């Protein structure tokens, strides 16, 4: 009886939020998408993202022909489905590694042979797919070269082919209606767009000189602020999160450390978003980052307990500063066998300091079938400055001779994408590799080199 009663209580508790949403939608009339394939309704106060999606669908539907294909990335298959339009490739779900680079090359070939007029993508809030723009570097290069921003509806961006007549970018403001509750309640609201507006209000007040303790006097309020800073990844959150990490209570300080790590990751990944202006948001360092205590950050790299709390942020800041005194800490990261991201961060830090073997260490990490290495290292190597290209070319050439098939394969993709012409002999030899994936990558790279061009 007790077991059944407990089950009944849990069932009722799980139903209540759904009933609350239906009741709220009934009270304010709700917002319903006018698309038969998407029978979705939400209360208007929490339908901002749904309205943005609806505006995206309307914009595209007016411009697309009845059977005209639409390419969507990274996981927006719902949009062509709702519109009843086909996609130009059999893939519509781009999680890093699935499809892999071999499939990616075929997708690029399809898009090049019959380029769709429009592409729809995201400028923020990629969630589970946050590393997809970094992993799919072949697609990213193709799209950035051939498409430009046409419209923006909230987090949905519509790109149009560059060869088509230019028109003013359509970007109407789509903001959530105000909630009657206070700031703290809005920071805890289930709607992410409401929370986004609330945390930007917090940042504006902090910029105006209002102390965090005034805005968020208690532990609960401070936890909500730190969690929302982590969610949006805005660089203005570095300084308040840093101060809270150093002075807050244990629970709040841990949350602040998480916020700092997520801001660092947002800056690392944001540069790979497809829309140029969205990528440019992370081109400059966050305000007041130079005031963060370098001595403490170097200690973070050296002490494992601190590395697990703040290592991502510490490595990012010290690498950006090219802090020579952090060399020992970077080496310590490189030795973190169980944490591929730390190994990557350590190699990048040493590379920033001019360590002659660091680029080779980065390429060697491509042998690991890990998201941290496969999603970030190729794009990082392709971003290197002209002065560093010879070192990258040497490391890639060595990688093409590696005993690890995955390392050889990815080196071939990078060599082709970066048009490293000096590697053509090594790539030609790799076309006879014993592993099919390596042969395919090398053949693609050789063909790309023969097409000419630079960068």
């Amino acid at each position: 009886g007790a077991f059944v009663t407990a089950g009944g209580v849990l069932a009722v508790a799980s139903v209540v939020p759904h009933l609350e949403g239906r009741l709220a939608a009934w009270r304010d009339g709700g917002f319903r998408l006018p698309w038969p394939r998407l029978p979705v309704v939400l209360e208007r106060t929490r339908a901002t993202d749904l309205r943005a999606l609806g505006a995206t669908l309307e914009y595209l539907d007016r411009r697309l022909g009845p059977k005209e294909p639409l390419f969507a990335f990274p996981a927006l298959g719902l949009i062509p489905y709702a519109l009843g339009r086909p996609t130009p490739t059999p893939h519509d779900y781009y999680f890093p590694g699935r499809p892999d680079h071999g499939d990616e090359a075929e997708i690029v070939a399809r898009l090049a042979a019959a380029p769709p007029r429009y592409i729809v993508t995201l400028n923020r809030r990629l969630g589970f797919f946050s590393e997809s723009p970094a992993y799919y570097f072949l697609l990213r290069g193709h799209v950035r070269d051939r498409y430009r921003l046409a419209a923006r509806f909230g987090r949905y961006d519509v790109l149009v082919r560059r060869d088509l007549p230019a028109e003013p970018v359509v970007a109407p403001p789509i903001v959530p209606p105000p909630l009657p509750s206070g700031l703290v309640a809005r920071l805890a609201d289930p709607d992410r767009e409401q929370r986004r507006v609330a945390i930007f209000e917090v940042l504006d007040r902090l910029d105006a000189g209002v102390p965090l303790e005034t805005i968020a006097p208690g532990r609960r309020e401070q936890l909500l602020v730190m969690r929302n800073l982590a969610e949006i990844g805005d660089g203005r959150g570095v300084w308040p999160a840093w101060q809270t990490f150093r002075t807050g209570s244990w629970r709040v300080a841990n949350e602040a450390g998480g916020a700092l790590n997520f801001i660092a990751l947002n800056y690392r990944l944001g540069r790979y978003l497809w829309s140029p202006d969205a990528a440019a948001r992370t081109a400059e360092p966050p305000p007041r980052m130079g005031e963060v205590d370098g001595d403490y950050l170097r200690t973070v790299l050296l002490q494992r307990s601190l590395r697990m709390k703040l290592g991502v942020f510490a490595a990012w800041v010290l690498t950006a500063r090219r802090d020579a005194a952090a060399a020992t800490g970077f080496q310590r990261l490189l030795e973190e066998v169980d944490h591929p991201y730390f190994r990557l961060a350590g190699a990048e830090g040493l590379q920033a300091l001019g360590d002659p073997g660091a680029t080779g260490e980065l390429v060697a990490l491509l042998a690991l079938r890990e998201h941290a290495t496969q999603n970030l290292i190729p794009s990082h190597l392709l971003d290197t400055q002209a002065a560093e290209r010879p070192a990258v070319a040497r490391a890639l050439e060595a990688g093409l001779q590696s005993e690890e098939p995955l390392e050889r394969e990815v080196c071939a993709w990078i060599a082709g994408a970066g048009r490293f012409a000096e590697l053509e002999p090594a790539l030609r030899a790799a076309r006879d590799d014993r592993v099919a994936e390596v042969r395919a990558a090398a053949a693609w790279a050789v063909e790309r080199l023969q097409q000419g061009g630079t960068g």
Side-chain angles (χ1 to χ4, degrees):
F3 181 81
V4 172
T5 300
V9 170
L10 289 174
V12 171
S14 69
V15 168
V16 167
H18 298 281
L19 294 178
E20 287 178 346
R22 288 180 176 273
L23 180 61
W26 174 77
R27 283 174 176 170
D28 67 10
F31 175 82
R32 184 183 301 274
L33 282 177
W35 300 92
R37 292 189 175 198
L38 296 182
V40 180
V41 61
L42 283 174
E43 63 268 39
R44 292 186 179 276
T45 55
R46 298 189 174 96
T48 307
D49 191 60
L50 196 63
R51 287 193 291 119
L53 176 60
T56 306
L57 293 171
E58 183 181 356
Y59 177 91
L60 288 166
D61 190 53
R62 289 200 310 265
R63 288 162 174 79
L64 292 171
K67 298 296 182 181
E68 185 175 354
L70 172 67
F71 186 68
F73 177 91
L76 295 175
L78 183 67
I79 291 179
Y81 168 77
L83 294 170
R85 264 68 170 202
T87 55
T89 80
H91 299 281
D92 59 7
Y93 181 95
Y94 294 87
F95 184 75
R98 184 180 180 185
D100 61 15
H101 292 307
D103 294 321
E104 183 186 9
E106 293 180 7
I107 292 166
V108 171
R110 284 184 180 232
L111 296 180
R117 282 198 299 153
Y118 292 100
I119 287 175
V120 63
T121 185
L122 295 172
N123 60 62
R124 57 181 172 85
R125 269 186 58 190
L126 278 70
F128 192 55
F129 300 85
S130 61
E131 295 185 12
S132 295
Y135 175 84
Y136 292 102
F137 55 90
L138 307 182
L139 254 176
R140 185 180 72 244
H142 178 86
V143 169
R144 283 184 171 179
D145 286 346
R146 293 164 176 79
Y147 289 81
R148 54 179 167 78
L149 182 66
R152 171 166 294 157
F153 304 99
R155 64 190 180 115
Y156 303 94
D157 279 359
V158 179
L159 310 180
V160 65
R161 287 206 322 255
R162 290 187 181 276
D163 62 323
L164 297 176
E167 297 179 1
V169 174
V170 176
I174 302 177
V175 296
L179 291 175
S181 53
L183 176 62
V184 172
R186 285 187 283 133
L187 289 171
D189 195 82
D191 181 60
R192 295 181 71 176
E193 294 300 308
Q194 289 285 0
R195 297 203 303 273
R196 178 180 174 82
V197 170
I199 194 61
F200 277 128
E201 181 181 327
V202 170
L203 288 172
D204 289 342
R205 293 176 66 183
L206 289 171
D207 288 344
V210 180
L212 178 62
E213 294 75 13
T214 301
I215 302 171
R219 187 183 78 158
R220 176 176 178 270
E221 293 85 354
Q222 291 174 11
L223 285 172
L224 286 171
V225 169
M226 294 303 126
R227 288 172 183 171
N228 281 280
L229 289 179
E231 183 171 297
I232 64 166
D234 190 282
R236 289 189 295 161
V238 165
W239 188 247
W242 171 253
Q243 289 182 306
T244 303
F245 178 78
R246 295 304 306 273
T247 62
S249 64
W250 175 81
R251 182 70 183 87
V252 177
N254 278 348
E255 205 72 44
L260 291 168
N261 287 331
F262 275 108
I263 292 171
L265 288 172
N266 181 58
Y267 268 71
R268 288 217 55 180
L269 296 170
R271 73 185 71 174
Y272 302 122
L273 293 171
W274 283 6
S275 298
D277 67 317
R281 290 196 296 250
T282 59
E284 299 296 329
R288 304 189 70 174
M289 191 171 82
E291 300 177 46
V292 174
D293 185 351
D295 288 338
Y296 185 87
L297 295 182
R298 288 189 285 273
T299 302
V300 168
L301 299 189
L302 294 172
Q303 293 186 12
R304 194 171 192 281
S305 59
L306 288 176
R307 284 201 299 273
M308 303 311 295
K309 292 181 180 179
L310 201 67
V312 172
F313 175 76
W316 173 61
V317 175
L318 294 171
T319 299
R321 292 179 181 177
R322 298 181 184 270
D323 190 321
T328 303
F330 289 139
Q331 187 61 48
R332 194 70 57 84
L333 289 180
L334 194 55
E335 297 166 0
E336 279 273 13
V337 177
D338 295 331
H339 296 280
Y341 184 88
F342 283 157
R343 298 178 69 184
L344 154 70
E348 287 184 351
L350 292 171
Q351 184 189 47
L353 298 181
D355 186 305
T359 304
E361 295 280 5
L362 276 170
V363 170
L365 289 173
L366 292 172
L368 302 178
R369 198 172 293 276
E370 299 281 351
H371 282 295
T373 54
Q374 297 299 323
N375 298 352
L376 294 174
I377 290 176
S379 286
H380 171 77
L381 294 173
L382 289 169
D383 278 349
T384 52
Q385 303 298 317
E388 300 169 325
R389 277 181 66 91
V392 174
R394 289 192 297 272
L396 291 175
E397 186 171 19
L400 288 168
Q401 312 303 321
S402 169
E403 295 182 359
E404 298 294 334
L406 183 59
E407 183 179 349
R408 299 198 302 274
E409 178 194 349
V410 181
C411 283
W413 293 120
I414 297 171
R419 296 191 187 275
F420 285 87
E422 61 269 48
L423 297 182
E424 186 168 349
L427 290 167
R428 288 184 178 277
R431 291 186 302 183
D432 296 324
D433 196 277
R434 65 182 184 276
V435 177
E437 290 81 1
V438 180
R439 295 196 299 271
W444 177 87
V446 170
E447 181 180 358
R448 181 170 170 84
L449 292 177
Q450 291 174 342
Q451 292 170 358
T454 58

